[in-house]
Amino acid sequence: MADGRVKEPVITLTAGPVQAYPRISRAMARPIHYDFDPYFQSVYEDVARKCATALRVEEPALIVHAEPAVGLEAAAASLISRDDVVLNLASGVYGKGYGYWAARYCKELLEIEVPYNEAISAAQVSQMLRTRPDIAIVTAVHHDTPSGTLNPVNEIGKVVRDHGSLFLVDAVSSFAGMDIHPDDCYADVFVTGPGKCLGGAPGLTVMAVSEAAWEHMEANPDCPGASVLSLTDWKDAWSKDAPFPFTPAIAEINGLDAALDVYLEEGPETVWRRHALTARACRAGVKALGLELWAAREEIASPTATTIKVPDGMDDALIRSTMRDVFGTVISGGRGDTAGKLLRIGHMGPVAEPIYAVVAITALAGALSKLGREVDLAAGVAAATAVIMESA
Ligand SMILES: *Cc1c(COP(=O)(O)O)cnc(C)c1O
């Protein structure tokens, strides 16, 4: 095109950000109100309380006014003190990355690392806590998105709680796509955002913080203040009677408001069910095409993204660009250590609908055939469709 822009895709099936529900985009176009006007302050309190309803916790949620990568870094900066021994769990690129942030603030960083198609067990964590009882904080990613695999954070959290350590969980790409909440996994800091399974825009972080975690931050001499990395600055901001430390992202808050309405009105259980079904149909289609799933075992494959090994001798970027050019369909590649090794089909928010598994399988098989790799397109489509029909 004359302005140099590339043609828009027809269908976005990425592992986030997702193409937001239209109702959320419309909410983001609501009038921008002055943040200290009582109207906006009441909206903000209502949204923070609605987050708590979705998270199934009592206290209004903490909202950080930046994408979850910033919220996660802020949690490390605020929570981890120079006296803390931290155990970081790395089963993927995001887990490994959290260790780099944690290392900046802690006394000592310990790590359990497994191959990036595997998961970390509660037994491994328990063993490490026995050898190092001085571990104060354990950090984990629930769904390590660049691998499409889940860690059993509910079981891990129980072990961490019994040991008396604090547990920080990155649930950015699993919350609202499956049955996971702060209390289920005994999280002291539970981090998520609107840009993945809630089907919103990616510009905010939503957190549930336990009383024990607040106390730890307040006792941390290095906890930042008057900083974008401070959680304590925003602790009371949910209240319509408390001032904002800085200007909140007003349009993003309006979008989050609508995202929570979409989620709660449809009903969380219904939302999780369609995420799970879409992923199951997608995995069946992938296998019937004769391709291999990336996850070592299907039990640890996420219901919110399906990861597929790049067929031997093929270039993942070429597969993705062919899917886009021929079928107008965009999927994700790997990231960091998984880049070039896998393809990712996201099932998040508005595209966590089973028919999109059929679309993904068709576009993937079509692209592979076009690139000279024989796959059984009809078998892939039939297998994905059969899963959908069996569930009806
Ligand atoms: C998307 C995501 C994040 C946030 O990354 P952004 O770059 O802020 O979008 C963090 N953790 C996980 C597991 C994610 O999937």
Side-chain angles (χ1 to χ4, degrees), residues 67-69 72 94 141 143 145 170 172-173 196:
E67 73 207 69
L72 285 160
Y94 278 108
V141 177
H143 170 210
T145 329
D170 170 350
V172 174
S173 62
K196 304 275 170 78

Side-chain angles (χ1 to χ4, degrees), residues 177-267:
M178 62 185 291
D179 187 2
I180 182 71
H181 305 89
D183 289 350
D184 302 337
C185 61
Y186 304 89
D188 292 285
V189 180
F190 183 92
V191 184
T192 191
K196 304 275 170 78
C197 302
L198 279 173
L204 293 175
T205 309
V206 174
M207 282 194 216
V209 179
S210 74
E211 204 42 56
W214 282 125
E215 281 168 20
H216 198 83
M217 284 185 236
E218 276 152 11
N220 176 8
D222 304 318
C223 179
S227 161
V228 288
L229 294 182
S230 175
L231 298 191
T232 50
D233 280 359
W234 288 86
K235 180 171 190 272
D236 300 319
W238 61 267
S239 167
K240 62 184 185 320
D241 302 318
F244 294 112
F246 302 103
T247 307
I250 292 166
E252 301 281 351
I253 292 293
N254 291 334
L256 176 58
D257 188 21
L260 294 162
D261 286 342
V262 167
Y263 179 63
L264 295 170
E265 285 171 20
E266 183 178 349

Side-chain angles (χ1 to χ4, degrees), residues 250-311:
I250 292 166
E252 301 281 351
I253 292 293
N254 291 334
L256 176 58
D257 188 21
L260 294 162
D261 286 342
V262 167
Y263 179 63
L264 295 170
E265 285 171 20
E266 183 178 349
E269 283 75 9
T270 310
V271 177
W272 308 334
R273 216 175 298 124
R274 63 177 165 81
H275 279 77
L277 178 59
T278 308
R280 255 194 307 126
C282 196
R283 292 198 298 270
V286 167
K287 289 187 289 179
L289 289 179
L291 302 176
E292 260 185 277
L293 296 170
W294 170 263
R297 288 160 284 125
E298 220 164 312
E299 310 90 82
I300 63 168
S302 172
T304 69
T306 296
T307 43
I308 305 151
K309 282 188 194 165
V310 174

